[in-house]
């Protein structure tokens, strides 16, 4: 078994796949290209060659989702390092390297974004193993994707002539189509995949050489971090002061020890709905559909949704339907979804961040109806899970148990409710909900009051550290 520690980067917001991917539940947590979520697929892709469980770097807001999705595979990460704010890949990898060397170990860090698709996983693993000797000798290895055509959405790596491991000549920015065509025709350039393999100590040494302020800030944030159950919470003030930069700019473009291993394995970073269509199974007319879709006389379309979607006479169109938003656009303009998300944010609307169904560490809630002074939610609580002890200043709540058993704390009372039973929580009364059973608890919550926002919660006790 190789001395490989997978470092899975899971901090992205994934707005380019809106409305399915949103800030609170981005694309790495979605099953877009198979039965597994993209995070799960990332781990399964390397499990056979990893020397240990992965180390995950995640956004603090996503901590429970990341942990739960790996637990579903029977994996307990070596650590889940939580970023209080995003600072790009160079700092994220730095804190991962510091965590990896905590006990004096110096593993090979296999740095993997958690939102890529790789069709030929055996070829990917073979490429990683070809890179091990170079990484062990102190090289900083990146994996260059053998281009399938001119692509303006990726950065490029120019490599020296060679076989398995080639010296990096230079990194270049995203080119225009004419330049990209020349790059591909030359055979000297690869797409920049954002995947790396190197010793933890070598990365830290090169970062200290080229950006000592960044490493110092990362070390401060890591040394002042708090251990919270399975999580390592970086110090917010210290990490917020760290310069934001990519590993390419901060280290790879400056080091003399950068090498590239060619990778031809059906890689795709799924950076748009068009890219997802291209990696999905298609019919004879180039249509790729997910869900209940009827298409009449359509070509090169992609449709995603749970309700019936009917397409008639369309070419090169993308349709994505969710509970609270529908996106329709031409496939060659999917990069402009960023502008849609920016408009939603500017208007102060929640659809850029939240789905109608919101996942919580104890389960989930689905806002199924709302109006003036009322809101209705469908709440699911996992077996054994407990919500925080809390109260509200502006709303009262009615709870009706649909299935399962609910233990309700209401002021000084503790009630046990089963199917078809209900209770009322007056405004200002301290309360808590627990599922003491072995089956999921489902209930309907009807809120009424002058203000129904999620920020009208005063927590007194919480299992998940949210007080």
């Amino acid at each position: 078994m190789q001395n490989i520690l997978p470092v899975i980067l899971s901090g992205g917001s994934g707005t380019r796949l809106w409305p399915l991917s949103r800030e609170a539940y981005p694309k790495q947590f979605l099953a877009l290209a198979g039965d597994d979520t993209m995070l799960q697929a990332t781990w399964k892709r390397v499990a056979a060659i990893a020397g240990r469980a992965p180390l995950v770097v995640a956004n603090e807001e996503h901590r429970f989702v990341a942990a739960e999705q790996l637990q579903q595979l029977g994996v307990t990460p070596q650590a889940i390092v939580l970023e209080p704010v995003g600072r790009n890949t160079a700092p994220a990898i730095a804190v991962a390297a510091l965590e990896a060397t905590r006990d004096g170990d110096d593993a090979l860090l296999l740095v993997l974004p958690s939102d890529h698709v790789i069709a030929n996983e055996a070829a990917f693993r073979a490429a990683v193993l070809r890179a091990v000797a170079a990484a062990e000798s102190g090289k900083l290895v990146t994996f260059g994707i053998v281009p399938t055509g001119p692509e303006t959405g990726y950065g490029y790596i120019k490599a020296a002539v060679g076989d398995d491991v080639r010296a990096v000549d230079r990194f270049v920015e995203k080119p225009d189509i004419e330049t990209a065509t020349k790059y591909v025709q030359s055979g000297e350039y690869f797409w920049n995949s954002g995947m790396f393999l190197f010793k933890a100590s070598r990365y830290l040494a090169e970062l200290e050489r080229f950006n000592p302020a960044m490493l110092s800030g990362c070390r401060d944030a890591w040394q002042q971090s708090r251990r919270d159950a399975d999580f390592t919470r970086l110090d917010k003030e210290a990490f917020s002061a760290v310069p934001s930069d990519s590993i390419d700019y901060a280290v790879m473009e400056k080091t003399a020890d950068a090498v590239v291993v060619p990778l031809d394995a059906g890689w795709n970073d799924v950076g748009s709905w068009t890219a997802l269509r291209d990696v999905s199974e298609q019919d004879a007319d180039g249509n790729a559909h997910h869900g209940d879709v009827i298409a009449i006389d359509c070509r090169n379309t992609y449709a995603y949704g749970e309700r019936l979607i009917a397409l008639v006479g369309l070419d090169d169109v993308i349709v994505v339907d969710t509970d609270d938003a529908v996106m329709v656009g031409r496939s060659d303009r999917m990069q402009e979804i960023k502008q849609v998300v920016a408009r939603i944010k500017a208007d102060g609307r929640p659809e850029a961040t939240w789905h109608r169904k919101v996942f919580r560490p104890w389960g989930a809630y689905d806002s199924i109806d709302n109006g003036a002074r009322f809101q209705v939610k469908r709440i699911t609580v996992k077996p054994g899970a407990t919500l925080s002890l809390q109260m509200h200043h502006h709303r009262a709540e009615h709870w009706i148990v649909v299935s399962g058993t609910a233990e309700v704390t209401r002021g000084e009372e503790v009630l046990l409710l089963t199917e078809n039973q209900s209770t009322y929580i007056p405004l200002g009364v301290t309360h808590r909900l627990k599922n003491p059973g072995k089956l999921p608890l489902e209930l309907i919550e009807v809120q009424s009051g002058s203000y129904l926002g999620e920020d009208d919660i005063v927590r007194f006790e919480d299992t998940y550290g949210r007080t």
Side-chain angles (χ1 to χ4, degrees):
M1 184 68 67
Q2 302 294 332
N3 184 32
I4 295 175
L5 170 60
V7 174
I8 301 178
L9 303 180
S10 183
S13 58
T15 56
R16 291 179 294 179
L17 291 180
W18 186 89
L20 197 61
S21 175
R22 306 192 189 182
E23 288 184 4
Y25 207 83
K27 68 174 182 176
Q28 60 264 34
F29 303 122
L30 301 172
L32 295 175
D35 295 332
D36 295 315
T37 69
M38 302 187 81
L39 173 67
Q40 291 172 328
T42 301
W43 162 246
K44 291 175 74 171
R45 189 179 300 135
V46 299
I49 58 173
R52 62 201 77 189
L55 192 160
V56 179
V57 182
N59 184 301
E60 186 171 351
E61 297 300 318
H62 303 152
R63 62 193 185 279
F64 296 111
V65 181
E68 181 176 6
Q69 289 199 354
L70 290 172
Q71 288 169 0
Q72 289 171 357
L73 301 179
V75 179
T76 300
Q78 177 169 315
I80 301 180
V81 180
L82 301 179
E83 296 179 297
V85 294
R87 281 296 175 263
N88 214 318
T89 53
I93 298 168
V95 294
L98 291 167
E99 183 70 21
T101 55
R102 172 185 294 277
D103 297 322
D105 193 11
D106 192 14
L108 295 179
L109 305 186
L110 177 59
V111 179
L112 303 170
S114 58
D115 55 0
H116 292 180
V117 169
I118 296 179
N120 189 340
E121 296 186 350
F124 168 73
R125 288 189 288 269
V128 173
L129 294 178
R130 289 199 303 273
V132 166
E136 289 281 14
S137 71
K139 299 296 184 181
L140 282 72
V141 182
T142 186
F143 296 90
I145 306 301
V146 178
T148 56
E151 173 60 59
T152 60
Y154 301 138
Y156 283 71
I157 302 169
K158 185 181 181 184
V161 176
D163 295 317
D164 286 342
V165 181
R166 308 182 187 187
V168 170
D169 183 40
R170 64 189 177 105
F171 290 82
V172 294
E173 290 298 309
K174 297 175 182 178
D176 57 32
I177 187 64
E178 182 179 347
T179 304
T181 300
K182 292 179 180 178
Y183 287 168
V184 174
Q185 290 174 346
S186 74
E188 299 176 333
Y189 289 82
F190 300 91
W191 292 339
N192 190 346
S193 71
M195 298 185 292
F196 306 91
L197 182 71
F198 38 63
K199 282 185 176 181
S201 61
R202 283 293 298 131
Y203 178 71
L204 293 174
E206 293 298 83
L207 185 60
E208 185 166 33
R209 178 183 177 190
F210 298 114
N211 202 323
M214 178 181 288
L215 179 58
S216 177
C218 289
R219 184 173 281 117
D220 288 344
W222 176 74
Q223 289 177 339
Q224 298 172 45
S225 63
R226 292 188 295 111
R227 299 294 183 265
D228 178 9
D230 298 327
F231 307 112
T232 298
R233 294 175 178 267
L234 298 175
D235 181 78
K236 184 174 183 178
E237 182 177 355
F239 198 65
S240 297
V242 173
S244 177
D245 206 353
S246 71
I247 180 178
D248 293 330
Y249 287 136
V251 174
M252 297 301 291
E253 292 185 1
K254 299 172 181 176
T255 181
D257 288 322
V259 296
V260 59
V261 170
L263 176 62
D264 187 2
W267 172 90
N268 193 304
D269 74 343
V270 197
S272 69
W273 285 110
T274 307
L276 184 57
R277 180 196 65 187
D278 293 343
V279 300
S280 300
E281 184 177 349
Q282 301 176 5
D283 64 18
D285 293 317
N287 301 302
H289 298 151
H290 178 97
D292 190 4
V293 181
I294 296 175
I296 306 297
D297 191 27
C298 292
R299 284 164 291 280
N300 302 320
T301 63
Y302 182 87
Y304 187 107
E306 300 304 323
R307 293 179 290 186
L308 173 62
I309 299 174
L311 309 179
V312 179
L314 297 177
D315 295 346
D316 299 301
V317 168
I318 309 291
V319 179
V320 182
D321 177 38
T322 67
D323 289 334
D324 60 351
V326 179
M327 189 283 299
V328 181
R330 281 174 28 189
S331 59
D332 62 346
R333 299 187 64 176
M334 285 296 100
Q335 296 297 337
E336 295 175 47
I337 286 180
K338 287 186 175 181
Q339 299 177 28
V340 175
V341 176
R343 177 78 65 85
I344 293 171
K345 288 183 176 180
D347 292 343
R349 301 181 55 148
E351 290 93 341
T353 301
W354 301 103
H355 286 278
R356 199 186 77 174
K357 185 174 183 179
V358 177
F359 290 90
R360 290 290 190 241
W362 44 260
Y365 67 83
D366 187 355
S367 299
I368 57 180
D369 196 11
N370 65 81
R373 298 182 63 87
F374 84 91
Q375 182 169 222
V376 182
K377 293 182 177 180
R378 180 188 295 116
I379 296 177
T380 304
V381 184
K382 301 172 186 176
T386 305
L387 281 67
S388 59
L389 181 67
Q390 59 184 253
M391 61 87 72
H392 312 294
H393 289 296
H394 303 287
R395 71 174 185 250
E397 297 174 344
H398 294 258
W399 292 347
I400 304 100
V401 175
V402 177
S403 63
T405 302
E407 181 183 298
V408 179
T409 299
R410 185 181 62 186
E412 299 299 321
E413 302 176 90
V414 177
L415 313 173
L416 200 63
L417 304 179
T418 57
E419 184 175 331
N420 294 326
Q421 294 183 322
S422 63
T423 190
Y424 170 62
I425 311 295
L427 183 152
V429 172
T430 302
H431 58 280
R432 173 175 248 164
L433 177 63
K434 178 180 180 179
N435 179 0
K438 297 182 179 180
L439 298 175
L441 164 64
E442 295 187 13
L443 58 84
I444 299 297
E445 176 182 270
V446 181
Q447 302 176 355
S448 60
S450 60
Y451 178 71
L452 305 174
E454 285 300 308
D455 55 349
D456 180 25
I457 300 178
V458 180
R459 291 188 173 94
F460 301 100
E461 298 175 10
D462 184 60
T463 305
Y464 310 105
R466 296 174 298 170
T467 53

